[in-house]
Amino acid sequence: MSTDASETNAAPTDAPAKPIKLSPVEKIKQESGFLKGSIDVELADPVDHFDNANIQLLKFHGTYQQDDRDKRAELKKSGGGKAYSMMIRCRIPGGRLSSDQLVAHLDMCDELGDSTLKITTRQTLQLHGILKGDLRETIRRINEVELSTLAACGDVNRNIMCCPAKRVGGIHAQLNEFTDELTEALAPQTPAYHELWLTDPDTGEKTLAGGGEPEASSAPVIDEPLYGPTYLPRKFKVGIALPDDNCIDIYTQDLGFLAVIRDGQIIGYNVSVGGGMGRTPSAKKTFPALAKRMAFVTPEQAIDVAKAVIIVQRDNGNRSDRKVARLKYLIADWGIEKYRAEVEKVFGGPLADCTEDDVHEFDDHMGWQEQGDGKLSYGLNIENGRLYDNEKVQVKAAIRAVCARFNREIRLTSHQSMIFCDIDPSEKEELIEILKSHGLRTTEETSTVRRWSIACVALPTCGLAITESERRLPSIIDSIEEPLAKLGLSNERFTIRMTGCPNGCARPYNADLALVGRAVGKYTLFAGGGWLGNRLAYIYKDQVKDEDVTAELTGIFAAFKANREEGESLGTFCDRVGAEKLAELAEAAPLPA
């Protein structure tokens, strides 16, 4: 197949090129010199923030400019500006990292950040509160431990998700190898990353580190054979899953690879395309979507098909309106048959239809699990992924102690939690004692509803947040644990996801229940998705006041208890009865005393 840079952003071969009005971001990318812009000039400027153009380009390098919104009013009163800082996101394929790499991030959050570290819903880590003047040092230190921030954000393929379970045998080894190969194959090639972050501004010395090897030439030829000079119309997300373990939510991804297994070996993948969670309530043209099954590919075809999927989106995605620029909108416009035909054209041949294999289970990998080699993994629930220390609990200190004592591999999950790998059975009690001695609640002591809940960052740092999310969800969980217990539903598995805005970073639109920020102090309450991730939720009630959330959720639980069919999950029950009937049943159901 051809991915020559000269073809970038070309019109489809069967249609004449038509001039389009580019969005402002497209013009910024076009004029950036392959993502360099004037970032180097601004890094040398003592001003505490970047200009609008470079803010867009910095995303491709793995960092967003933010400000502390809790301080806005106070600073405005005193005549000051905003409290600017940077969020830095790492690229950690499949969520696999060493103890040393995790400890290095803990060091950076203490020394350069706001003293907390966030595990994201895409199996990676985010540092918050990094000052502009410390940006280069932070990215350099991340690369020194052989990780990278390149393409962790921006209009490119982002961190590739994959089942984080550590298991002996060919299946998981093949998944991990495929994740790494795909990460390398879909990475941007611009030398700007090395020039900006891994080259000494005084000596010009280049560092060989996690960002990839710099060009040997002092004046390399810039070429982006896959992305071209303007990259993709919008962000792009990839996930790799197993039919019996959809722990990475494959149908929310732009591109998904579902392993097809025969006789204990992966013979190929069912490819799905067009998943995406974001929506804008005021714009009816926007919507969340689950990916559509497209074709079956062999392991040998997989990477070239992934590139073909990206090229078709690159050349045909909407570059004038970013609200409808994701792959899901192109597929909604064309239909999956036409999209597949275009992918086959770029790939260079026909593809087979998907096999019957589909998702049928979801394992969050929490608690003790056998690896198959005599060792154990322990999944520790980290509420909303936030690592911090305070007078009650010392999450960071506990993790440091575990890493110092065991120095084993770490895996991050899509539910913002952490897996300690390679634990000998004789070490089980010691690991648990370290956690408890630092005030941590073990997974076994965590309620089912809390264990299956996730939230985005939201306030105070996310500039898009309308409402609270990460800081609010724990108290909501507190308020519903007792009603669930009284209804006999404490062990019921269902997902509650919360986001501070409709962009959906915590994947709310396919959850059993979800709270999405709608207006100040108000949420849209969704119901009817499910923990398996293959069904969209619907709007149950809009503009729900914050103070009414617990009562609304409790009503749903009571209706479920009184009216469920045998073996029916909460999400399936909500989907079966629909919004109007659910409201009636919730009103009529006896509430727990």
Side-chain angles (χ1 to χ4, degrees):
M1 75 173 196
S2 174
T3 56
D4 189 88
S6 64
E7 296 178 355
T8 300
N9 300 333
T13 55
D14 59 353
K18 293 182 180 179
I20 61 171
K21 183 179 180 181
L22 297 176
S23 71
V25 175
E26 288 301 312
K27 293 178 180 178
I28 290 170
K29 290 186 289 183
Q30 194 173 55
E31 298 169 1
S32 71
F34 292 90
L35 307 180
K36 186 173 182 179
S38 58
I39 295 172
D40 55 342
V41 176
E42 289 211 71
L43 282 171
D45 192 320
V47 174
D48 64 356
H49 61 280
F50 292 90
D51 70 18
N52 290 334
N54 284 327
I55 287 172
Q56 296 298 325
L57 299 178
L58 283 162
K59 295 176 184 179
F60 292 82
H61 300 267
T63 181
Y64 280 77
Q65 181 168 289
Q66 301 178 329
D67 74 284
D68 189 335
R69 293 170 63 179
D70 285 349
K71 296 180 179 179
R72 282 184 182 179
E74 177 187 345
L75 290 170
K76 189 174 181 180
K77 280 184 182 179
S78 63
K82 295 179 179 179
Y84 289 107
S85 66
M86 307 299 294
M87 178 276 281
I88 299 179
R89 183 182 297 152
C90 202
R91 188 183 68 194
I92 307 174
R96 290 174 280 120
L97 71 164
S98 68
S99 285
D100 288 344
Q101 289 170 331
L102 179 55
V103 170
H105 271 79
L106 293 172
D107 289 342
M108 286 183 281
C109 83
D110 286 342
E111 298 165 16
L112 300 168
D114 68 355
S115 81
T116 74
L117 186 62
K118 175 83 170 182
I119 303 174
T120 79
T121 58
R122 292 196 66 78
Q123 300 180 281
T124 186
L125 297 170
Q126 286 184 180
L127 292 159
H128 290 265
I130 306 294
L131 298 180
K132 178 191 168 192
D134 293 325
L135 189 56
R136 180 177 271 132
E137 179 184 352
T138 308
I139 294 178
R140 176 185 57 78
R141 286 173 62 170
I142 289 172
N143 279 265
E144 283 178 348
V145 293
E146 298 185 347
L147 292 173
S148 178
T149 66
L150 176 64
C153 321
D155 298 343
V156 286
N157 172 59
R158 299 188 177 188
N159 193 52
I160 297 179
M161 300 178 72
C162 182
C163 174
K166 185 159 190 181
R167 298 287 185 272
V168 171
I171 291 175
H172 283 80
Q174 192 171 339
L175 290 180
N176 293 337
E177 182 179 0
F178 179 40
T179 302
D180 293 341
E181 290 175 350
L182 200 55
T183 295
E184 183 177 353
L186 304 185
Q189 300 300 305
T190 174
Y193 187 81
H194 261 89
E195 292 173 8
L196 289 169
W197 313 113
L198 305 177
T199 301
D200 188 298
D202 298 320
T203 67
E205 181 181 354
K206 294 181 179 180
T207 304
L208 296 179
E213 302 230 352
E215 296 283 348
S217 169
S218 59
V221 175
I222 297 176
D223 186 21
E224 286 282 12
L226 179 59
Y227 292 111
T230 52
Y231 298 83
L232 296 180
R234 206 70 164 84
K235 60 187 174 183
F236 195 90
K237 299 178 178 180
V238 178
I240 303 167
L242 294 161
D244 62 350
D245 187 7
N246 185 28
C247 62
I248 57 87
D249 243 344
I250 193 170
Y251 286 117
T252 66
Q253 315 284 339
D254 291 271
L255 172 61
F257 289 92
L258 185 72
V260 176
I261 301 167
R262 300 289 184 268
D263 300 321
Q265 296 294 321
I266 297 175
I267 64 165
Y269 301 90
N270 284 336
V271 177
S272 55
V273 290
M277 292 281 97
R279 66 186 285 265
T280 303
S282 61
K284 294 188 182 299
K285 61 187 176 181
T286 68
F287 49 82
L290 296 182
K292 298 181 183 298
R293 287 156 62 88
M294 184 184 75
F296 170 83
V297 301
T298 66
E300 295 73 25
Q301 295 172 322
I303 288 178
D304 282 345
V305 169
K307 290 181 177 180
V309 167
I310 285 176
I311 288 169
V312 175
Q313 162 66 352
R314 178 197 74 187
D315 293 349
N316 299 280
N318 193 313
R319 291 185 181 268
S320 61
D321 184 353
R322 288 180 66 81
K323 287 186 183 296
V324 290
R326 290 285 295 274
L327 175 58
K328 62 183 177 181
Y329 297 111
L330 179 61
I331 291 175
D333 183 38
W334 278 6
I336 188 63
E337 293 80 10
K338 178 178 177 180
Y339 185 80
R340 171 175 166 169
E342 290 297 322
V343 169
E344 289 174 330
K345 284 182 186 178
V346 176
F347 174 68
L351 298 172
D353 291 339
C354 288
T355 69
E356 71 280 4
D357 302 78
D358 205 349
V359 298
H360 59 85
E361 189 50 83
F362 186 130
D363 187 347
D364 67 351
H365 302 295
M366 292 294 96
W368 291 107
Q369 295 193 345
E370 295 184 359
Q371 295 181 177
D373 57 356
K375 303 287 187 178
L376 301 172
S377 291
Y378 184 72
L380 177 66
N381 180 262
I382 306 289
E383 189 164 23
N384 301 322
R386 184 65 64 177
L387 309 182
Y388 61 94
D389 289 344
N390 61 28
E391 64 279 1
K392 294 181 179 179
V393 60
Q394 296 82 48
V395 184
K396 292 188 303 178
I399 292 171
R400 285 182 182 277
V402 170
C403 290
R405 167 62 184 86
F406 300 105
N407 193 27
R408 311 288 162 76
E409 187 177 13
I410 306 291
R411 304 283 179 96
L412 306 177
T413 81
S414 73
H415 269 209
Q416 304 173 300
S417 291
M418 183 178 296
I419 303 172
F420 301 109
C421 301
D422 304 318
I423 305 298
D424 191 271
S426 65
E427 299 169 329
K428 287 176 63 176
E429 291 185 8
E430 186 178 1
L431 174 62
I432 296 300
E433 178 54 35
I434 290 174
L435 300 177
K436 288 188 172 184
S437 68
H438 288 85
L440 273 67
R441 179 194 287 129
T442 64
T443 293
E444 293 76 12
E445 296 168 332
T446 303
S447 69
T448 304
V449 65
R450 194 179 301 271
R451 172 172 160 175
W452 285 84
S453 68
I454 57 177
C456 71
V457 173
L459 297 171
T461 54
C462 179
L464 300 175
I466 305 166
T467 59
E468 294 283 0
S469 179
E470 180 187 326
R471 297 194 299 193
R472 179 68 175 103
L473 186 55
S475 60
I476 291 175
I477 300 297
D478 289 342
S479 73
I480 62 177
E481 284 177 325
E482 184 176 350
L484 284 168
K486 289 180 176 179
L487 289 165
L489 297 173
S490 291
N491 295 323
E492 195 71 30
R493 176 171 67 167
F494 59 88
T495 52
I496 291 184
R497 296 175 180 171
M498 190 172 190
T499 61
C501 82
N503 280 350
C505 291
R507 303 188 298 276
Y509 303 117
N510 66 335
D512 292 86
L513 299 171
L515 293 158
V516 176
R518 184 69 166 87
V520 177
K522 295 180 180 179
Y523 297 88
T524 302
L525 176 53
F526 287 80
W531 50 263
L532 192 53
N534 59 353
R535 183 176 59 230
L536 283 177
Y538 56 77
I539 294 177
Y540 171 56
K541 290 189 179 179
D542 201 11
Q543 302 278 5
V544 176
K545 293 181 180 178
D546 182 275
E547 58 267 28
D548 295 334
V549 165
T550 297
E552 292 289 354
L553 293 176
T554 302
I556 293 174
F557 301 146
F560 172 56
K561 174 68 174 181
N563 300 279
R564 72 188 296 189
E565 295 181 351
E566 185 176 355
E568 194 171 40
S569 69
L570 176 60
T572 301
F573 163 74
C574 293
D575 179 64
R576 174 172 62 83
V577 300
E580 185 176 345
K581 184 65 174 178
L582 180 58
E584 293 176 10
L585 295 174
E587 184 70 26
L591 297 177

